[in-house]
């Protein structure tokens, strides 16, 4: 027995013991009271007066107690047979009144009780309510034949008792009464007592085996009390005792005990029943059938006929003349027995036919069922197998009969099945009537079938109702696989990968530093997918998944998380040192990067993509989500660091993410709250120092007073909707302020820097620039758009069409950051460019580095040969001005002239007109007009801006 079961058994035993103790006290009290009364009656109570008092009023008090007990039980308890207990209360009340009247004559008046008297009337009224109460307690027959059999059984018992009683005493009593010349009432009274007792005994015996199971203990006790009372009445009516009887004798103890037992029946017996429930829960299951009681019920009519026969034989043996009453009663008993046997015979024939029909019906159901029904003996041997086994298992039923049930169960499932069967057989049948077991059965072909069986008990063995669920199990396994795997590559998906990570971090591997998660992103996949089509993109993903699966070890897990993102779980080797395991993970990650970066054969051509991989190692106490987040952060750091590389997670990455998230949250409200300001940096002619244009630059002055440059906040807003919103604000604000300056007498062109991909954004239609220029009345040539960066994902065909449309509106185009980026020469070859803006990286070293000097000189020569203006960005010192001017550069912007200016300082600078130029000639060659392509504005060349004056 398990610990919980043992605890529960001990608790039940303790509760049961407490219940028995509480129920034993009333029983002991009842026994002591009845015993004390019996002892007093046997000793004559010490005096005649006490004997008379106890024999009359004592019995009256006991009967009154029974009446009150039954009455309050019927009124207080929510019971089904309330009328029966009310009738028992009435019957006891009659007995109490009869004894009280008897005591009135003997004890109060001191005279002999007359016969007949009022006491006789009360005593005669005792039996009818008790008889009706017994009828209420009995199970009511459901058929007419049942009612007839009940009446016949009652007459068989009553007639046999009447025959026996008449032969023994009643005939003599009637003869004596007639010979003494007594009144008819006295003779009738002499026979009424025994006849009513016979009727009551007949009902007790006839209904004993038909009583309801509701509150059985209380009913049994009440029947025993009535039986004891009837027995004492029978002894009282016998001529030998009646002639010598007086109140207070030992016979009164029987009536006294019967009354108190009836008083105890509804309350004490109910408590006994509650204790029996606890005992039944604790004990082993027992059968509910009562074969002995059923046999006695069936033999009752025959025993009654035997008693009747004994009565007749007694008269014959004694040589008496057979009385007519005995003959008539005996004949009616025999006739009732014959009628009853006939009814039972007809009923048995009908039951036999019904049983045969049901048997045929169930045999047809079993043999025609698609489920296999098997009966196993307690030893496990199959005793019956339905014919459906041939269709389900592919084996004949006769072949399986006699075989061990364990021989057809899969060995891997046998232990689990045996454990479940033992548990089921040990459980109480009322709590668990059946159980369900799923296992694998061997088929006739040798295959294993998934079978689901409903198991029931059968005579110590089992009944198994089995069906083939192989297809269902297969479908469930397929659905489970689909739910946990990517449909395209058949690799584990994010859910299964997360579960594998959780398993790797649990148990003995918890905190194992050798366990790592790799997040992999294919660089350039989106461009390849857009260029070649989604079908080719899917084929590329399938090949990449195959390479990834083949590159990891057998114990590791490769997964596709979605899109072109993959992941790998590398389980650490417990037997190796931590440094060696980390080095091994590095090698695996780098091998994956090289493998995934090899060319892919798609159709007739090859496609090249690279892989950026982020690696995060497990730490003690880390959760699966945190470990995967760390690998994801490392992967994005690898992409930001130039792609096609492996990056290890560092705690600073998470801090950067938190900072960027906080800054992005504040940036979202900056435009709405008007925290952005527009500054302008002059673009100066290097020969004369005149202002040829201004480059518009956005600054964010946050609510905390911090001034952020584009280098700080544009990285936060990159690839977000806020970037587009900021670009629209920058362009509109720059055009509005340029138009306002032109109306104020400062018609200087303005340059606005926009990313190439923003120009192709759907949120930036070509008509928006034309509408903006028309709204503010900015003349043609007064707006310059600097195309910033050369994103490889940008289509040159689309960009060329957009720039050509802008040029038709009179907008000048500048190529920003010329000299950096692999696509600069290609952009120069294909795009309609008016101005080249040298990258700040070239300008910074043009004086110190001869190599940069030659490169810069060559680029400026290209611009001159193509007829383009040139602007040097980041001109901070006079030496750079002299060197660039000597190379042929026409314009520059930087700290050598001025930093970004607010509107007030800008207008003052424009009113002044020129800036000092090192080695410049006053009144030198003036700048050409913008419309002629002479002077060119620029926006913000690099992200390393010059110092910002206060605004």
């Amino acid at each position: 027995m398990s610990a919980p079961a043992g605890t529960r058994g001990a608790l039940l035993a303790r509760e049961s013991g407490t219940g028995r103790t509480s129920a034993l006290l009333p029983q002991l009290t009842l026994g002591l009271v009845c015993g004390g009364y019996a002892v007093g009656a046997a000793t004559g109570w010490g005096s005649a007066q006490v004997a008379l008092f106890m024999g009359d009023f004592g019995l009256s008090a006991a009967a009154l107690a029974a009446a009150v007990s039954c009455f309050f039980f019927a009124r207080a308890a929510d019971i089904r047979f309330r009328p029966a207990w009310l009738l028992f209360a009435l019957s006891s009340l009659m007995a109490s009144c009869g004894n009280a009247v008897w005591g009135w004559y003997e004890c109060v008046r001191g005279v002999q009780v007359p016969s007949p008297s009022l006491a006789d009337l009360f005593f005669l009224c005792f039996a009818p309510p008790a008889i009706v109460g017994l009828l209420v307690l009995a199970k009511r027959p459901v058929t007419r034949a049942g009612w007839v059999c009940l009446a016949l059984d009652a007459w068989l018992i009553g007639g046999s008792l009447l025959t026996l009683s008449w032969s023994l005493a009643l005939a003599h009593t009637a003869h004596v009464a007639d010979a003494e010349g007594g009144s008819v009432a006295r003779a009738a009274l002499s026979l009424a007592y025994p006849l009513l007792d016979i009727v009551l005994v007949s009902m007790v015996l006839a209904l004993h085996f038909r009583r309801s199971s509701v509150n059985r203990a209380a009913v049994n006790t009440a029947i025993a009390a009535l039986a004891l009372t009837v027995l004492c009445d029978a002894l009282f009516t016998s001529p030998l005792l009646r002639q010598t009887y007086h109140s207070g004798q030992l016979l009164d103890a029987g009536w006294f005990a019967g009354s108190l037992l009836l008083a105890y029946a509804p309350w004490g017996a109910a408590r006994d029943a509650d204790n029996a429930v606890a005992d039944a829960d604790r004990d082993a299951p027992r059968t509910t059938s009562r074969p002995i009681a059923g046999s006695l019920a069936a033999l009752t009519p025959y025993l009654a006929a035997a008693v009747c026969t004994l009565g007749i034989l007694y008269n014959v043996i004694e040589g008496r003349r057979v009385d007519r009453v005995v003959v008539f009663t005996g004949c009616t008993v025999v006739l009732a027995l014959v009628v009853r046997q006939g009814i039972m015979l007809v009923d048995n024939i009908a039951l036999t036919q019904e049983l045969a029909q049901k048997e045929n019906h169930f045999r047809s159901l079993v043999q025609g069922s698609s489920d296999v029904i098997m009966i196993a003996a307690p030893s496990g041997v199959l005793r019956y197998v339905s014919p459906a086994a041939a269709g389900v298992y592919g084996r004949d039923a006769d072949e399986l009969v006699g075989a061990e049930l364990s021989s057809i169960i899969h060995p891997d499932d046998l232990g689990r099945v045996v454990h479940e069967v033992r548990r089921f057989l040990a459980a109480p049948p009322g709590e668990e009537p059946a159980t369900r077991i799923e296992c694998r059965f061997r088929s006739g072909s040798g295959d294993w079938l998934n079978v689901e069986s409903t198991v029931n008990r059968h005579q110590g063995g089992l009944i198994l109702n089995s069906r083939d669920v192989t297809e269902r199990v297969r479908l469930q396994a397929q659905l489970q696989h689909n739910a946990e795997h990517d449909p395209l590559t058949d690799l584990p998906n994010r859910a299964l990968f997360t579960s594998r990570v959780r398993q790797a971090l649990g148990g003995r591997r918890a905190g194992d530093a050798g366990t790592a998660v790799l997040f992999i992103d294919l660089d350039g996949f989106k461009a390849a997918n857009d260029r070649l089509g989604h079908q080719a993109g899917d084929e590329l993903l399938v090949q990449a998944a195959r390479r990834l699966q083949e590159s990891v070890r057998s114990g590791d897990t490769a997964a596709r998380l979605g899109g072109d993102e993959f992941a790998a779980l590398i389980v650490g080797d417990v037997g190796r040192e931590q440094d060696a395991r980390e080095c091994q993970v590095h090698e695996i990650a780098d091998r994956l990067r090289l493998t995934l970066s090899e060319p892919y054969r798609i159709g007739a051509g090859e496609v090249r993509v690279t892989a950026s991989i982020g690696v995060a190692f497990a730490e003690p106490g880390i959760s699966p989500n945190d470990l995967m987040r760390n690998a994801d952060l490392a992967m994005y750091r690898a992409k930001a660091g130039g792609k096609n590389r492996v990056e290890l997670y560092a705690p600073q990455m998470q801090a950067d993410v938190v900072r960027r998230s906080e800054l992005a949250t504040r940036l979202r409200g900056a435009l709405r709250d008007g925290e952005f300001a527009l500054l302008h940096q002059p673009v100066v002619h290097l020969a004369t120092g005149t202002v040829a244009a201004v480059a518009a630059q956005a600054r964010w002055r946050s609510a905390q007073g911090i001034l952020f440059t584009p280098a700080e906040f544009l990285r936060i807003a990159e690839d977000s909707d806020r970037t587009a919103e900021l670009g629209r604000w920058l362009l509109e604000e720059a055009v509005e302020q340029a138009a306002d300056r032109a109306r104020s007498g400062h018609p200087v062109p303005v340059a606005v820097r926009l990313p190439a991909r923003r120009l192709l954004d759907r949120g930036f239609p070509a008509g928006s620039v034309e509408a903006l220029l028309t709204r503010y009345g900015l003349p043609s040539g007064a707006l310059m758009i600097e195309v910033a960066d050369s994103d490889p994902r940008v289509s040159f065909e689309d960009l060329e069409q957009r720039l050509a449309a802008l040029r038709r509106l009179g907008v000048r185009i500048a190529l920003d950051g010329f000299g950096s980026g692999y696509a600069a020469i290609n952009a120069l070859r294909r795009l309609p460019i008016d101005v080249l803006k040298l990258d700040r990286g070239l300008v910074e070293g043009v004086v110190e580095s001869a190599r940069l000097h030659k490169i810069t000189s060559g680029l400026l020569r290209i611009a001159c040969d193509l007829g383009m203006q040139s602007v040097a960005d980041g001109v901070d010192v006079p030496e750079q001005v002299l060197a660039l001017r000597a190379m042929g550069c026409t314009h520059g912007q930087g700290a050598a002239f001025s930093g970004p200016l607010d509107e007030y300082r800008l207008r003052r600078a424009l009113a002044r007109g020129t800036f000092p130029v090192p080695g410049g000639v006053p009144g030198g060659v003036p700048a050409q007009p913008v419309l002629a392509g002479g002077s060119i504005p620029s926006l913000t060349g690099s992200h390393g801006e010059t110092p910002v004056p206060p605004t």
Side-chain angles (χ1 to χ4, degrees):
M1 179 183 293
S2 62
T7 304
R8 177 176 180 269
L11 181 61
L12 286 176
R14 185 162 58 250
E15 292 176 351
S16 177
T18 304
R20 290 196 192 93
T21 302
S22 62
L24 188 61
L25 184 60
Q27 295 174 1
L28 289 176
T29 304
L30 178 64
L32 289 176
V33 172
C34 294
Y37 191 96
V39 171
T43 58
W45 297 102
S47 68
Q49 293 298 325
V50 175
L52 289 176
F53 181 83
M54 294 302 297
D56 295 334
F57 291 109
L59 294 181
S60 178
L64 183 62
V68 173
S69 175
C70 293
F71 177 77
F72 280 103
F73 178 72
R75 292 292 302 274
D78 184 15
I79 58 175
R80 177 179 173 186
F81 298 111
R82 179 177 287 112
W85 294 102
L86 290 176
L87 289 171
F88 290 156
L90 178 60
S91 177
S92 298
L93 181 63
M94 294 296 101
S96 176
C97 293
N99 283 298
V101 172
W102 198 287
W104 168 261
Y105 282 110
E106 287 189 338
C107 297
V108 178
R109 298 184 58 184
V111 299
Q112 187 177 1
V113 180
S115 181
S117 66
L118 186 61
D120 293 319
L121 177 62
F122 284 122
F123 287 142
L124 290 175
C125 291
F126 166 79
I131 295 171
V132 178
L134 290 174
L135 288 174
V136 173
L137 289 177
K139 285 184 180 179
R140 299 176 182 176
V142 295
T143 62
R144 185 178 302 173
W147 284 105
V148 173
C149 288
L150 177 61
L152 292 175
D153 289 344
W155 173 244
L156 284 172
I157 297 173
S160 60
L161 292 178
L162 178 60
T163 302
L164 186 61
S165 300
W166 189 270
S167 300
L168 295 176
L170 293 183
H172 176 70
T173 301
H175 177 73
V176 169
D178 183 62
E180 293 177 353
S183 63
V184 176
R186 184 178 181 85
L189 183 62
S190 301
L191 297 177
Y193 281 112
L195 292 179
L196 286 176
D197 289 339
I198 290 173
V199 174
L200 188 56
V201 170
S202 301
M203 294 306 304
V204 168
L205 294 177
L207 299 176
H208 175 70
F209 304 108
R210 294 177 178 267
R211 64 185 182 277
S212 174
S213 59
V214 179
N215 206 1
R216 183 182 296 273
V219 173
N220 287 341
T221 307
I223 291 177
L226 293 176
L228 181 59
T229 303
V230 170
L231 177 61
C232 293
D233 287 346
L235 294 175
F236 173 75
T237 56
S238 64
L240 297 178
L241 288 179
R242 182 153 187 166
Q243 292 177 0
T244 61
Y245 171 80
H246 60 81
S247 297
Q249 287 186 343
L250 189 60
L251 184 61
D252 293 345
W255 282 315
F256 184 82
S259 297
L260 290 187
L261 192 60
L262 185 60
Y264 168 80
W267 305 99
R271 285 194 296 270
D272 295 342
D274 294 337
N275 297 332
V277 172
D279 295 340
D281 289 339
R282 187 182 70 256
D283 295 339
R286 291 174 302 206
T287 179
T288 58
S289 62
R290 300 188 303 144
I292 297 177
S295 300
L296 291 176
L299 292 176
T300 298
Y302 303 100
L303 293 176
V307 171
C308 182
T309 304
L310 289 176
I312 298 175
L313 290 177
Y314 175 79
N315 284 288
V316 173
I317 293 174
E318 289 294 327
R320 301 178 184 176
R321 181 176 60 87
V322 179
D323 194 277
R324 286 176 294 177
V325 175
V326 173
V327 174
F328 176 77
T329 305
C331 292
T332 56
V333 168
V334 174
L335 180 62
L337 181 62
V338 172
V339 174
R340 189 183 187 282
Q341 285 299 107
I343 293 175
M344 294 300 298
L345 181 60
V346 173
D347 196 21
N348 288 338
I349 294 175
L351 288 176
T352 303
Q353 293 176 350
E354 183 180 357
L355 181 61
Q357 292 177 356
K358 289 184 177 180
E359 184 179 355
N360 294 332
H361 175 68
F362 284 112
R363 182 182 292 108
S364 301
L365 289 177
V366 170
Q367 294 181 351
S369 174
S370 59
D371 294 347
V372 180
I373 299 175
M374 299 183 294
I375 299 178
S379 61
V381 177
L382 294 175
R383 297 303 185 192
Y384 172 79
V385 179
S386 66
V392 176
Y393 301 152
R395 304 175 66 174
D396 291 337
D398 295 339
E399 177 186 348
L400 292 173
V401 173
E404 291 280 349
L405 181 60
S406 59
S407 65
I408 62 174
I409 299 177
H410 195 283
D412 295 342
D413 300 339
L414 185 58
R416 175 173 53 84
V417 173
V418 171
H419 175 75
E420 175 62 20
V421 169
R422 288 177 178 173
R423 184 203 62 79
F424 169 65
L425 292 177
E431 295 180 2
E432 191 174 5
T435 188
R436 182 168 295 179
I437 297 176
E438 190 168 328
C439 61
R440 286 167 289 180
F441 278 7
R442 185 188 299 276
S443 67
S445 60
D447 298 330
W448 293 101
L449 303 176
N450 293 93
V451 175
E452 181 185 67
S453 302
T454 301
V455 183
N456 298 85
R457 299 173 180 83
H458 176 68
Q459 297 179 357
L462 301 172
I463 294 181
L464 296 91
N465 192 341
S466 307
R467 63 194 61 86
D468 183 10
V469 293
T470 304
E471 288 302 321
R472 189 195 71 187
V473 172
R474 250 184 229 142
L475 179 59
Q476 289 177 344
Q478 184 63 42
L479 291 176
Q480 183 72 18
H481 180 85
N482 294 342
E484 296 179 341
H485 290 77
D486 175 57
L488 178 63
T489 62
D490 203 38
L491 289 180
N493 59 13
R494 183 181 293 273
L496 181 56
F497 184 76
T498 304
S499 176
R500 297 277 179 85
V501 173
R502 184 176 293 105
Q503 293 176 5
L505 296 180
R508 62 185 181 89
R509 294 189 180 276
D512 184 4
T515 298
V517 170
L518 280 60
F519 264 46
I520 307 163
D521 186 84
L522 299 181
D523 307 319
F525 170 77
K526 186 177 185 303
N529 189 59
D530 294 341
R531 185 175 69 255
L532 301 176
H534 293 290
Q535 185 174 359
D538 290 346
E539 178 61 26
L540 192 153
L541 291 175
V542 171
Q543 294 186 26
R546 188 180 305 116
R547 294 183 186 183
L548 178 62
Q549 184 70 43
E550 293 173 353
S551 299
V552 298
R553 301 171 305 178
S554 59
D556 300 333
T557 300
R560 182 191 177 203
L561 304 183
D564 60 341
E565 291 187 352
F566 295 85
L569 171 64
I570 309 300
V571 180
D573 187 359
V574 181
R576 305 181 65 178
E577 296 294 333
Q578 177 176 340
D579 294 340
R581 286 181 285 176
E582 292 184 359
C583 182
Q584 182 186 33
V585 173
H586 280 280
E587 294 175 357
I588 294 174
D590 199 56
R591 185 173 70 249
L592 285 176
R593 181 187 64 82
L594 295 175
T595 302
L596 295 174
S597 300
E598 293 178 357
Y600 293 85
R601 174 66 62 179
I602 306 296
E606 289 185 350
V607 178
R608 291 181 178 271
V609 295
T610 58
S612 295
I613 302 178
V615 181
F617 289 94
E619 301 172 356
I622 193 171
S623 66
N625 291 335
D626 290 344
L627 181 59
M628 295 171 64
R629 179 206 60 197
N630 295 345
D632 198 16
L633 292 176
M635 184 267 291
Y636 278 107
R637 179 61 63 90
K639 292 179 73 68
K643 303 178 180 179
N644 193 21
R645 56 185 296 177
V646 177
E647 190 77 29
L648 298 181
Y649 170 77
Q652 182 60 33
M653 295 181 183
Q654 179 63 21
D656 292 343
V657 169
V658 173
R659 177 181 173 276
R660 288 166 62 89
S661 177
E662 293 176 351
L663 192 58
T665 302
R666 290 157 50 193
L667 181 63
R668 279 193 285 270
L671 281 172
R672 182 185 66 252
D673 299 336
E675 296 180 3
F676 276 91
L678 192 63
L679 304 181
H680 295 83
Q681 188 173 25
V683 179
V684 179
H685 197 284
L686 295 182
T688 63
T690 58
V691 179
V694 290
Q697 300 177 3
R699 292 293 187 272
W700 173 24
R701 187 179 299 278
S702 68
Q704 291 77 19
I706 303 174
L707 190 66
F708 294 102
T709 64
E712 295 171 296
F713 64 75
L714 285 180
R715 285 196 300 268
I716 304 300
E718 186 177 6
D719 292 332
S720 68
D721 295 336
R722 298 301 170 190
T723 309
E725 187 177 352
L726 179 61
R728 288 192 294 270
W729 175 87
L730 176 62
L731 181 61
E732 182 173 357
E733 192 75 11
V735 170
E736 181 182 4
Q737 293 188 18
D740 186 62
R741 285 192 297 270
R743 287 191 295 269
S744 300
H746 303 290
V748 59
V750 63
V752 180
R753 182 177 183 269
L754 294 175
R757 66 178 179 277
R758 188 59 57 202
L759 291 172
L760 299 178
D761 191 17
R762 294 180 180 178
F764 188 77
S768 62
V769 177
E770 182 179 6
L772 195 62
L773 295 176
T774 304
R775 183 194 313 166
Y776 293 105
L778 197 66
S780 177
L783 176 62
M784 167 104 39
I785 290 181
E786 298 177 353
V787 181
D789 63 56
S790 51
D791 193 334
R793 296 176 294 179
V794 174
S795 170
F796 275 106
E797 290 80 0
D798 297 339
L799 184 59
E800 182 180 4
Q801 294 177 8
R802 175 58 60 89
L803 295 179
L806 292 174
R807 288 192 69 187
R808 286 194 293 271
L809 297 175
V811 178
R812 310 294 289 174
I813 307 298
L815 182 60
D816 184 43
F818 187 70
S820 66
Y822 69 92
I825 298 300
N826 192 29
L828 185 63
R829 179 177 65 85
R830 301 188 58 178
L831 300 180
I833 304 298
D834 299 307
V835 178
L836 289 182
K837 191 170 185 178
L838 296 181
D839 183 68
R840 187 184 185 91
L842 296 176
V843 177
E844 288 176 345
V846 73
V847 177
E848 294 83 2
S849 173
R851 186 182 184 87
L852 285 179
H853 188 281
K854 290 181 181 181
I855 293 174
T856 306
S857 178
L859 295 177
L860 290 172
R861 193 162 41 250
I862 292 175
C864 182
D865 292 343
L866 294 176
M868 300 178 181
Q869 296 293 324
S870 57
V871 177
D873 184 23
V875 182
D876 297 333
V877 295
E879 291 81 5
Q880 294 173 345
V881 176
L882 296 175
L884 290 169
R885 187 171 59 195
M887 295 178 193
C889 183
T890 57
H891 299 80
Q893 71 180 76
F897 307 107
S898 173
L901 303 173
D902 60 15
E903 188 65 21
Y904 173 74
R905 288 178 174 80
L906 175 62
R907 294 200 179 195
R908 288 180 57 186
L910 293 177
R912 189 170 62 246
T914 61
F915 287 93
V917 179
V921 180
V925 180
Q928 298 179 6
V930 176
L931 290 177
S935 63
I936 315 114
S938 81
L939 182 59
T940 165
S942 71
H943 288 166
E945 274 70 18
T946 55
V948 181
T951 58

